[in-house]
Amino acid sequence: PGKGDTSKPTSLPPGGLVIMREGDAGDPEMLLSPQRWTYDHRFVLEIAPYPGVDPIQALTTMLGPLGASIAADPHLGGLADWTSVEMPALDDTDTPGAPTLNWAELGVVVTYTTTNPLG
């Protein structure tokens, strides 16, 4: 999906699909002396298992490595102060004439501090 396109596909490739929605950094917390800004940037990963398998088992298989990777390096190699994941929300997408697709939406929050609020 392109920028701004929030629709979900009606069919999936054989290996499943992960879509990252860029989210919003929101308003930062401003810290003084030295001046810096701390953001809690939340984005969403939409994860769909490949069709023809048990969706809960497949989502568990797909989500496990994501959680393990973040737990192993919550600082993202020094780019973040901290990274956390939210409990995934399960969703179905019904499209007329197509099979129901099962999705998990996983919120990820990256906290980071910068000395320049413009990037």
Side-chain angles (χ1 to χ4, degrees):
K3 185 175 176 89
D5 181 5
T6 58
S7 64
K8 292 180 180 168
T10 57
S11 63
L12 297 175
L17 183 65
V18 177
I19 299 171
M20 182 177 145
R21 305 289 182 194
E22 61 191 38
D24 182 8
D27 294 326
E29 177 183 346
M30 186 174 152
L31 306 170
L32 302 172
S33 188
Q35 192 171 32
R36 55 202 188 278
W37 292 263
T38 298
Y39 291 87
D40 290 322
H41 191 134
R42 182 181 186 275
F43 62 93
V44 174
L45 296 175
E46 295 176 351
I47 303 164
Y50 43 92
V53 298
D54 176 81
I56 301 302
Q57 182 179 4
L59 286 170
T60 301
T61 300
M62 294 173 78
L63 289 169
L66 282 170
S69 293
I70 291 172
D73 184 13
H75 302 287
L76 303 179
L79 296 174
D81 298 335
W82 193 255
T83 304
S84 59
V85 294
E86 300 169 351
M87 183 67 79
L90 301 179
D91 188 19
D92 295 334
T93 299
D94 288 321
T95 302
T100 299
L101 301 176
N102 294 282
W103 291 82
E105 293 188 2
L106 180 68
V108 179
V109 179
V110 179
T111 301
Y112 60 93
T113 303
T114 181
T115 57
N116 181 353
L118 300 178

